[in-house]
């Protein structure tokens, strides 16, 4: 009887499991390099936690799109949920689309792997009656308009990407294949709230066009800098020589890949002749002001000193000068504020540092004049603005003695002196009395503790020795630990040297190399660009993170000898920390 019940239970459970269907379907198993592949992951239950495969050898150009359908026929219900992707092959060869997975009622279900063969580009079969009257090749262009190709360092230029298409073709959708990269530029995209079709002249003919992207760039070093291209995959509609029953032209659907092409910018270095000593990299046209909140103070009051620069230029890419005050005025670290707008013409607005200053003694004190220098693009010369000297009058409060007065006027002398009211502050006011009655050592707890201590320590020594021998024998593990330790050490050294350009980039490059040694278990001789890229991708690192990692390591060598602002150095450090953090999570 028990066997019969067990058989029935197994039969019912198997029938229930058989009801769950989760499978992957592709539009074709063999396709050309220029064709797209559709893959659908379909389930007949409402599964959770859908995990897509990695799609190695393909680029996802659309998806996932989700479709859910449910119907009732003759009292029976049916359910279907589908995740769809459109893939574009990256190269020829045989590829395996790995398993996708879902979770349902605590169980994991997976699809079967699918083999896909990618061959040479093929000519798609078309209806001979659907011959297009025009070609997409000569009617669609992607153009990058650059405002200036020979700017100075930190002079703003704009890149506007326009998609031109003739009146003979239609466009329904486009996808970015490659995003433009602005290495050695400070960049900011200008938001385009709504795409608007316009008309204009291109190659001497009338075209329609739409502005896809606007970007403001500030070059950060001199020489020839390359802007990587923007590439698009566009769905187009081309007219044929057929007409429908209403006499309208029948159109055929197709796709077209376009690229704006790489652009080279020749950046001029700022002239050395006439460069002021305090020049911090400001380029544009500015107004400089130093404004105190008050100059007459009572005892216990403080003043705020506002140091500001306003105008048009690289507002976020230079530092304001720091005021020099007498030692009798206590000055705290500034609060930095930016009110900057970025338009196609560049940055404009105001930046400021607000200092809090607290006087220590009664008297009159001078805040020295400050100088702010910038390079004027209109005249091609350096200009310097001088602020006036500011006198601070402290009306009451303690008077400085002779030593303190000398400290207030002599550089390098400590300003904090012990006043007469503080001369007894270091006398100890509490005492710790010890009893004169002493306990015999023999027979005490300390005696027995020291007696048996060697017997307790002996097993620990044996365990420690075995552990140490095991650690010393793990050569690979020790090398990984050493590289991890070196990566953290050099990253910490880079942070300490963030105000010294060359030592900073040397330490940053060593940190990233030692991180690779620890994670990929490789030596310095194996650190070629292609080998690093292949190893990282094989360890499930995302392509975007790998490209950013390699670009940053290459930039470390160049940045040592190039003119670089402090803000770019801070950006490179933050970028290195972010990339290493991302690779830590991604590398398996």
């Amino acid at each position: 009887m028990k066997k019969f019940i067990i058989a029935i239970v197994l039969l019912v459970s198997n029938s229930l499991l058989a009801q769950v269907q989760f499978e992957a379907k592709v539009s074709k198993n063999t396709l050309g390099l220029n064709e797209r592949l559709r893959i659908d992951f379909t389930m007949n239950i409402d599964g959770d936690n859908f995990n897509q495969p990695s799609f190695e050898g393909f680029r996802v150009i659309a998806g996932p799109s989700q479709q859910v359908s449910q119907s009732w026929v003759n009292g029976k219900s049916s359910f279907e949920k589908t995740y769809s992707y459109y893939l574009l092959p990256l190269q020829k060869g045989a590829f395996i689309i790995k398993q996708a997975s879902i979770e349902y009622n605590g169980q994991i279900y997976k699809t079967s792997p699918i083999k896909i063969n990618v061959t040479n580009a093929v000519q798609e079969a078309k209806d001979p009656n659907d011959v297009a009257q025009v070609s997409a090749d000569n009617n669609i262009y992607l153009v990058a308009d650059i405002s200036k190709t020979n700017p100075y360092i930190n002079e703003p230029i704009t890149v506007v990407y326009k998609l031109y298409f003739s009146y003979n073709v239609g466009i329904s959708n486009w996808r970015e294949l490659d995003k433009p990269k602005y290495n050695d530029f400070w960049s900011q995209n200008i938001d385009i709230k709504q795409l608007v079709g316009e008309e204009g002249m291109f190659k001497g003919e009338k075209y329609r066009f739409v502005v896809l992207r606007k970007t403001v760039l500030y070059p950060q070093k001199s020489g020839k800098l390359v802007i990587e291209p923007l590439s698009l995959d566009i769905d187009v509609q081309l007219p044929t020589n057929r007409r429908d029953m209403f006499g309208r032209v029948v159109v055929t659907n197709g796709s077209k890949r376009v690229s704006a092409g790489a652009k080279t910018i020749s950046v001029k270095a700022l002239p050395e002749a006439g460069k002021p000593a305090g020049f911090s990299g400001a380029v544009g046209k500015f107004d400089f002001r130093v404004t105190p909140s008050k100059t007459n103070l009572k005892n216990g009051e403080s003043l705020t000193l506002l140091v500001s620069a306003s105008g048009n230029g690289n507002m976020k890419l230079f530092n304001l000068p720091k005021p020099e005050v007498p030692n009798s005025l206590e000055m705290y670290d500034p609060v930095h504020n930016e009110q900057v707008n970025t338009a196609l013409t560049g940055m404009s607005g105001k930046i400021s540092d607000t200092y809090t200053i607290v006087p220590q003694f009664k008297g009159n004190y001078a805040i020295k004049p400050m100088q702010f220098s910038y390079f004027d693009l209109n005249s091609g010369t350096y200009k310097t603005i001088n602020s006036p000297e500011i006198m601070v009058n402290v009306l009451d409060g303690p008077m400085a003695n002779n030593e303190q007065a000398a400290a207030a006027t002599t550089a390098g002398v400590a300003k904090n002196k012990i006043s007469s009211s503080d001369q007894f502050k270091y006398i100890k006011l509490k005492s710790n009395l010890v009893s004169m009655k002493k306990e015999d050592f023999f027979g005490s707890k300390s005696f027995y503790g020291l007696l048996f201590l060697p017997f307790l320590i002996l097993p620990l020594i044996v365990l420690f020795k075995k552990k140490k021998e095991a650690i010393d024998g793990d050569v690979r593990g020790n090398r990984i630990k050493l590289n991890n330790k070196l990566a953290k050490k050099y990253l910490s050294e880079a942070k300490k040297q963030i105000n010294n350009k060359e030592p900073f980039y040397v330490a940053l490059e060593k940190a990233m190399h030692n991180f690779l040694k620890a994670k990929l278990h490789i030596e310095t001789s194996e650190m070629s660009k292609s080998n690093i890229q292949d190893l990282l991708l094989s360890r499930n690192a995302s392509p975007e993170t790998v490209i950013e990692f390699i670009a940053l390591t290459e930039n470390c060598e160049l940045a040592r000898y190039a003119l670089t602002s402090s803000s770019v150095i801070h950006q490179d450090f933050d970028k290195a920390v972010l990339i290493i953090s991302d690779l830590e999570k991604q590398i398996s």
Side-chain angles (χ1 to χ4, degrees):
M1 185 66 181
K2 289 184 178 180
K3 293 182 179 179
F4 180 71
I5 294 174
I6 292 173
I8 293 176
V9 172
L10 290 175
L11 183 62
V12 171
S13 61
N14 288 334
S15 65
L16 290 174
L17 290 175
Q19 291 177 0
V20 177
Q21 295 181 0
F22 180 45
E23 57 184 353
K25 300 177 182 179
V26 293
S27 57
K28 56 181 73 176
N29 292 93
T30 301
L31 70 154
L33 189 60
N34 60 331
E35 294 182 298
R36 291 184 293 179
L37 175 72
R38 173 171 174 165
I39 181 167
D40 297 324
F41 298 96
T42 304
M43 64 195 79
N44 65 343
I45 43 87
D46 191 8
D48 297 322
N49 300 327
F50 171 74
N51 289 320
Q52 69 181 49
S54 59
F55 299 123
E56 294 179 7
F58 295 86
R59 177 188 288 119
V60 178
I61 58 176
S65 61
Q66 179 179 331
Q67 295 180 348
V68 177
S69 63
Q70 190 168 7
S71 61
W72 287 264
V73 178
N74 296 329
K76 294 183 179 180
S77 65
S78 62
F79 177 88
E80 184 176 272
K81 182 162 70 171
T82 303
Y83 292 92
S84 300
Y85 295 82
Y86 285 92
L87 310 177
L88 194 66
L90 299 176
Q91 59 187 22
K92 295 185 295 181
F95 302 95
I96 300 295
I97 295 180
K98 298 181 181 179
Q99 295 174 307
S101 66
I102 59 170
E103 183 178 350
Y104 182 70
N105 286 341
Q107 300 238 359
I108 302 297
Y109 298 90
K110 296 183 179 181
T111 61
S112 300
I114 299 178
K115 184 177 180 180
I116 304 295
N117 293 315
V118 180
T119 62
N120 292 324
V122 298
Q123 184 175 1
E124 298 180 6
K126 298 180 180 179
D127 188 336
N129 294 322
D130 288 343
V131 177
Q133 295 179 351
V134 296
S135 171
D137 295 338
N138 300 321
N139 290 277
I140 300 176
Y141 300 92
L142 181 61
V143 178
D145 286 340
I146 299 177
S147 61
K148 191 172 186 178
T149 58
N150 189 28
Y152 281 103
I153 290 178
N154 274 317
E155 179 180 359
I157 62 174
T158 58
V159 183
V160 179
Y161 294 92
K162 298 179 181 178
L163 180 64
Y164 285 91
F165 50 99
S166 70
Y167 290 87
N168 297 324
V169 300
I171 293 177
S172 59
N173 190 25
W174 59 78
R175 294 162 294 278
E176 287 189 358
L177 299 178
D178 292 309
K179 294 184 178 181
K181 298 179 179 63
Y182 310 110
N183 298 324
D184 301 313
F185 289 92
W186 182 95
S187 64
Q188 181 166 331
N189 291 327
I190 306 299
D191 291 336
I192 300 177
K193 296 181 179 179
Q194 185 176 2
L195 297 177
V196 179
E198 303 179 53
E199 294 183 352
M201 298 297 294
F202 182 72
K203 293 188 174 183
E205 299 180 3
K206 281 189 176 182
Y207 273 79
R208 293 175 292 171
F209 72 90
V210 61
V211 176
L212 301 180
R213 184 192 292 262
K214 298 178 182 179
T215 306
V216 178
L217 304 177
Y218 283 84
Q220 297 300 296
K221 72 175 187 178
S222 59
K224 294 187 179 298
L225 306 183
V226 177
I227 299 176
E228 299 295 332
L230 170 67
S231 299
L232 302 177
D233 184 27
I234 306 173
D235 294 335
V236 298
Q237 293 79 42
L238 303 174
T240 67
N241 54 11
R242 294 178 56 198
R243 294 182 179 271
D244 60 14
M245 60 183 296
F246 301 104
R248 294 173 299 191
V249 175
V250 176
V251 298
T252 180
N253 295 318
S255 64
K256 170 68 176 172
R257 289 185 177 184
V258 292
S259 173
K263 302 295 180 181
T264 301
I265 308 297
S266 299
V267 182
K268 299 180 290 186
L270 297 177
E272 293 295 328
K275 181 182 289 187
F279 178 70
S280 63
V283 176
K285 189 167 184 63
F286 302 95
D287 183 27
F288 177 70
R289 295 181 183 275
V290 180
T291 308
S293 60
K294 60 177 75 173
T295 55
N296 295 319
L297 302 177
K298 296 180 181 180
N299 183 28
E301 290 185 334
S302 63
L303 68 91
T304 57
L305 190 68
L306 181 67
V307 181
S308 64
S310 59
N312 302 311
N314 57 333
M315 305 293 296
K316 298 181 180 180
L317 303 176
F318 62 84
N319 296 320
L320 292 169
K322 185 177 181 179
E324 296 182 11
V325 300
N327 287 337
S328 293
L329 299 180
E330 186 77 23
M331 184 173 69
Y332 294 88
D333 291 337
V335 176
H336 186 72
N337 184 39
E338 294 180 355
Q339 298 174 345
V340 180
N341 296 319
T342 304
L344 274 180
T345 54
M347 287 185 275
S348 62
K350 178 181 178 181
I351 62 172
S352 63
D353 289 336
T354 303
Y355 295 84
T356 299
I357 298 176
V358 181
Q360 303 297 309
F361 304 103
K362 178 181 179 181
N364 299 325
Y365 305 98
I367 299 177
K368 296 181 180 180
M370 299 173 62
Q371 287 187 341
F372 174 74
S373 301
Y374 66 92
F375 182 74
D376 186 5
L377 293 170
N378 294 330
S379 62
T381 59
Y382 293 96
K383 294 188 177 181
T384 301
I385 302 175
N386 295 301
S387 68
E389 183 180 66
I390 298 173
M391 292 300 300
V392 177
N393 303 316
V394 183
L395 303 178
D396 54 11
M399 293 291 294
N401 57 34
N402 292 335
E403 291 182 352
Q404 290 166 333
T409 57
T410 305
V413 180
K415 64 182 180 180
N416 294 323
K417 300 294 180 179
I418 299 175
S419 64
S420 58
S421 61
D422 294 332
Q423 58 184 329
F424 300 105
K425 67 183 293 185
Y426 299 105
I427 296 177
K428 191 173 182 180
L429 300 178
K430 294 183 179 180
S431 60
N432 296 322
L433 301 178
V434 180
S435 175
M436 296 180 63
K437 183 179 179 182
K438 295 184 178 180
E439 183 181 358
D440 291 337
F441 177 72
F442 184 81
S444 65
K445 294 181 179 178
S446 300
F447 171 80
Y448 288 110
L450 293 174
L451 180 64
F452 294 106
L453 183 62
F455 300 98
L456 297 174
I457 293 177
L458 188 60
L460 297 177
I461 294 175
V462 174
L463 291 175
F464 176 78
K465 185 178 179 181
K466 290 184 178 180
K467 183 68 175 179
K468 187 175 184 304
E469 289 175 352
I471 293 174
D472 293 339
D474 186 10
V475 178
R476 183 181 179 186
N478 289 335
R479 187 184 298 117
I480 292 172
K481 291 178 182 178
L482 178 61
N483 290 331
N484 265 326
K485 187 176 180 181
L486 288 174
K488 293 178 181 178
K489 172 186 173 183
Y490 287 120
L491 198 59
S492 176
E493 181 64 22
K495 188 173 183 180
K496 294 178 182 178
Q497 299 290 345
I498 203 163
N499 294 321
N500 301 314
K501 180 184 67 176
E502 188 169 347
F504 166 80
Y505 281 106
V506 170
L508 187 63
E509 186 176 13
K510 289 182 179 180
M512 300 184 76
H513 282 179
N514 280 288
F515 172 78
L516 283 183
K517 291 179 182 180
K519 293 302 177 184
L520 301 182
H521 311 155
I522 60 176
E523 297 299 329
T524 304
S525 59
E526 301 173 286
M527 280 192 170
S528 65
K529 178 181 176 182
S530 59
N531 190 35
I532 291 172
Q533 186 171 1
D534 292 339
L535 288 173
L536 288 174
L537 291 175
S538 67
R539 298 287 293 275
N540 296 329
S542 69
E544 294 81 7
T545 308
V546 174
I547 292 172
E548 290 176 354
F549 184 94
I550 294 175
L552 185 57
T553 55
E554 293 176 345
N555 187 48
C556 287
E557 179 66 24
L558 299 175
R560 296 184 205 170
Y561 311 103
L563 181 62
T564 307
S565 66
S566 61
S567 61
V568 174
I569 294 177
H570 282 80
Q571 290 175 8
D572 285 345
F573 179 81
D574 294 339
K575 188 186 295 183
V577 173
L578 181 61
I579 291 173
I580 289 176
S581 176
D582 289 342
L583 288 176
E584 281 278 4
K585 300 174 184 176
Q586 296 169 7
I587 292 177
S588 59

